[in-house]
């Protein structure tokens, strides 16, 4: 959610809770000494920010042109405008997150429903060593709980390790780790995925073609994710690697363990992000103190940069902002728990390192950031719902709507509290409730109605 | 069977809904959010109704076919009533949101009117209701099979598609009428909407006698459409103006040639 700080020069402000977790979302308010210029720039800002086509622009222009003297009126107007823009930005940013989450889920559901490979049971990960092929229900439940405990412990250890590395500034190690995991995701898992899709549709493809496709896909992906690339291409790659990772989880996590793990990880997310000593919160705060972006890696960013042309746009500022969109993103490695870092929903974007003056007029539209781990676990939930043996589409759709509503509520809370929040708990809770109730209650009801062709 | 039936029936069932969403909802973020939230409310109502039905089935004698059919009718009626109750709850929520948006906004008007919200919420209820009714049927229509091999009607797919289209449109119209009735406290309108929903659902009990079920349902849809059109502020004058494609003078357009900076000689 876009949040606002009312004053300019963020670097001079003391680092309190509010300011440490958000940055100036808009260019600072120009001084009121030059009244006409101020109203002009604000007009320009208004025109550019009101892209949702409100009919208020003409009134605004008229108002601002008319009153040149009353600073207090303009200040309150600016505050209202900021608040209203907050809400307007809120709706737009919810949609900016709905779209990638939906795309990721569509990819996962389409794959699950068509490619048999990802629903076949072919062994388990070493992180879930207990098998669920036990005769009694109690034993199966116990095994799944034990699997969950092991998995969550691995995640906690990895996260703490990552936070320790970050705190002691071992950036090279972290980068190497992320590069290795994204390498594996982009090449190996994509190769397996391509192979299975070709097998499903009985399409023959020769090795040179496969090598060409995989090499190009992987190389462009590595460049886009770890270096520079068009924002949309980078977003597309992040969605694809999240989907691949989710498919791996869906395949290799046993039935009951998957559900218990989903529940446990949302509780862990809640604790890790909100508790004062939680690893993710410490990560966020450390990054805030150093005024660095919190792992542009592993975070999906929906932001855009606009440059409003006036005099000369400051290339230094542009360069700095450009750099921050280079998500040195790694993929998720199931052995790396860096995804837990990304289970934070963040309002931040990198703050400009110098105060923006009138001449520069560089507007950055701050976007919302969502961690890749959230994408992955949302897709795991919906994919598991799609993989139910009954083949029911209602369950999948119900979970999909539940997750979107959870995301919407989380973003609403983000707008209210204006600090990094865990994105998993609400969505996963809704998703789990809807999964179990739709599968057990709604499905028989709708099936019986459909068999008599009754509509409600 | 096969792809032709699948695409045809999907087009019939969701064509209008898709067109409405693409043309009116997709461009505005706030409307998309209202769409998804409306779907959520409908789902919760369905959940509760299924719970009631499930409990009643499991408490009763499962072998008695007539009793089970009666419980199904009861379940359907409860579901209809719960859907309307949740539509009312959604109205309350949207009304509060409208007030909130109005207070936050600069000129005291919210960016979306209650009538638009009524339309979008009705559409959302319609889409999710239609999808839940027909998506499994559509998924089965791709696969191999013969319809009606046990003596049932061979027109199952196409009539389901038409019924779904009617349900989608009906919910949209009901949404508009319902919100307007709640706003203006015309409780007889509310009652009429609920009764027409019950009648529509009841008519589907006449399937597979499609003449008796589809035709009246479409008549009801048409009547509701006209009623919703007039409720939303339409009139014959509007239709004529729309059809004659006259350019409306925008009163907000300023004639720039009339404004000039006074010359300083």
């Amino acid at each position: 959610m876009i949040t606002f700080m009312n004053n300019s020069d963020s670097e001079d402000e003391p680092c309190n809770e509010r300011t440490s977790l958000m940055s100036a979302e808009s260019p600072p308010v120009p001084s009121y000494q030059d009244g006409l210029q101020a109203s002009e720039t604000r007009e320009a800002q208004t025109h550019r920010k009101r892209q949702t086509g409100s009919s208020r622009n003409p009134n605004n222009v008229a108002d601002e042109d008319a009153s040149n003297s009353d600073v207090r009126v303009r200040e309150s107007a600016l505050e209202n405008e900021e608040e209203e823009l907050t809400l307007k930005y809120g709706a737009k940013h919810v949609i900016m997150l709905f779209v990638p989450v939906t795309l990721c889920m569509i990819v996962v559901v389409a794959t699950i429903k068509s490619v048999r490979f990802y629903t076949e049971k072919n062994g388990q990960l070493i992180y879930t060593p207990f098998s669920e092929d036990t005769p009694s229900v109690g034993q199966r439940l116990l095994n799944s709980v034990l699997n969950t405990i092991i998995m969550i412990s691995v995640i906690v250890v990895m996260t703490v390790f990552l936070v320790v590395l970050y705190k002691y500034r071992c950036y090279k190690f972290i980068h190497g780790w992320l590069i290795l995991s994204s390498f594996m995701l982009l090449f190996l898992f994509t190769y397996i995925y391509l192979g299975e899709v070709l097998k499903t549709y009985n399409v023959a493809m020769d090795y040179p073609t496969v090598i060409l496709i995989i090499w190009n896909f992987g190389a462009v992906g590595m460049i886009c994710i770890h270096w520079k690339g068009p924002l949309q291409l980078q977003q597309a790659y992040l969605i694809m690697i999240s989907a691949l990772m989710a498919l791996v989880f869906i395949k290799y996590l046993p039935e009951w363990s998957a559900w218990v793990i989903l529940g446990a990880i949302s509780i862990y997310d809640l604790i890790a992000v909100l508790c004062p000593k939680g690893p993710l919160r410490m990560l966020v705060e450390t990054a805030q103190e150093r005024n660095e972006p919190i792992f542009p890696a592993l975070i999906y960013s929906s932001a855009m940069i606009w440059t409003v042309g006036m005099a000369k746009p400051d290339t230094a500022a542009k360069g700095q902002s450009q750099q921050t969109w280079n998500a040195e993103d790694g993929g998720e490695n199931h052995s790396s728990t860096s995804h837990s870092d990304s289970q934070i929903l963040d309002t931040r974007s990198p703050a400009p390192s110098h105060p923006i003056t009138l001449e520069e007029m560089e507007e950055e539209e701050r976007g919302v950031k969502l961690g890749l781990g959230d994408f992955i676990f949302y897709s795991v939930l919906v994919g598991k719902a799609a993989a139910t043996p009954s083949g029911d589409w209602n369950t999948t759709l119900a979970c999909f709507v539940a997750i979107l509503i959870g995301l919407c509520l989380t973003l609403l809370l983000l707008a209210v509290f204006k600090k990094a929040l865990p994105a998993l708990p609400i969505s996963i809770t809704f998703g789990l409730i809807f999964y179990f109730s739709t599968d057990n209650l709604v499905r028989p009801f709708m099936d019986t109605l459909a068999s008599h062709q009754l509509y409600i | 069977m096969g792809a032709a039936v699948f695409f045809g029936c999907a087009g019939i069932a969701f064509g209008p809904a898709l067109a409405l969403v693409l043309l009116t909802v997709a461009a505005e973020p706030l409307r998309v959010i209202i769409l998804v939230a409306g779907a959520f409310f409908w789902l919760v109502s369905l959940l509760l109704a299924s719970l009631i039905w499930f409990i009643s089935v499991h408490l009763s004698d499962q072998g008695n076919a007539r009793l089970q059919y009666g419980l199904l009718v009861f379940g359907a009626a409860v579901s209809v009533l719960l859907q309307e109750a949740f539509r009312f709850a959604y109205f309350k929520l949207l009304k509060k949101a409208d007030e909130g948006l109005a207070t936050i906004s600069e000129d005291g008007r919210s960016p979306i009117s209650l009538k638009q919200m009524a339309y979008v919420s009705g559409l959302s209820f319609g889409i999710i209701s239609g999808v839940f009714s027909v998506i499994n049927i559509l998924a089965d229509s791709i696969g191999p099979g013969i319809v009606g091999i046990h003596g049932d009607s061979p027109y199952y797919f196409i009539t389901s598609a038409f019924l779904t289209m009617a349900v989608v449109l009906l919910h949209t119209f009901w949404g508009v009428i319902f919100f307007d009735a709640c706003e203006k406290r015309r409780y007889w309108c509310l009652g009429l909407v609920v009764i027409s929903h019950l009648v529509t659902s009841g008519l589907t009990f006449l399937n597979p006698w499609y003449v008796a079920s589809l035709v009246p349902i479409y008549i009801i849809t048409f009547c509701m459409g006209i009623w919703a059109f007039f409720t939303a502020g339409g009139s014959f004058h509007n239709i004529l103006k729309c059809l004659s494609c006259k350019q409306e003078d925008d009163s907000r357009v300023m004639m720039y040639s009339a404004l000039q900076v006074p010359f300083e000689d």
Side-chain angles (χ1 to χ4, degrees), chain B residues 168-245:
Chain B
V168 169
L169 291 174
L170 272 172
H171 269 285
T172 314
F173 302 145
W174 284 330
V176 173
I177 299 169
F178 192 96
F179 275 46
D180 186 71
C182 285
E183 183 73 12
K184 298 194 176 126
R185 298 184 186 278
R186 287 193 199 143
Y187 295 118
W188 59 274
C189 283
L190 276 186
L192 256 182
V193 165
V194 177
I195 288 174
S196 72
H197 194 168
L198 282 167
V199 165
T200 308
S201 183
L203 279 172
T204 59
F205 282 77
L206 294 175
N207 286 331
W209 188 18
Y210 294 122
V211 177
S213 68
L214 267 180
V215 174
I217 286 181
Y218 268 89
I219 293 174
I220 294 178
T221 311
F222 189 67
C223 297
M224 287 289 149
I226 295 179
W227 188 5
F229 178 71
F230 285 109
T231 308
S235 61
F236 288 123
H237 184 60
N238 281 352
I239 299 178
L240 287 175
K241 212 159 60 158
C242 175
L243 286 176
S244 69
C245 298

Side-chain angles (χ1 to χ4, degrees), chain A residues 56 60 81 84 87 91 95 392-394 397 405 434 437 440-442 445-446 448 450 452-456, chain B residues 29 40 43 46-47 50 53-54 79 101 105-107 131-132 135-136 156 159-160 164 201 204-205 207 210:
Chain A
R56 271 180 234 103
N60 240 355
E81 180 185 305
E84 198 257 353
L87 197 64
I95 303 304
D392 191 36
W393 280 90
N394 289 341
L397 283 165
I405 290 295
F434 270 74
S437 51
N440 297 314
L441 300 175
V442 176
F445 185 47
M446 295 308 283
T448 319
H452 294 272
Q453 212 174 6
L454 302 179
Y455 278 68
I456 49 168
Chain B
F40 180 74
L43 278 176
L46 180 68
L47 214 107
S50 314
W53 175 81
F54 192 79
S79 167
L101 285 172
S105 87
E106 197 177 86
D107 54 358
V131 164
F132 260 63
I135 193 93
N136 284 324
Y156 186 77
T159 51
S160 294
T164 309
S201 183
T204 59
F205 282 77
N207 286 331
Y210 294 122

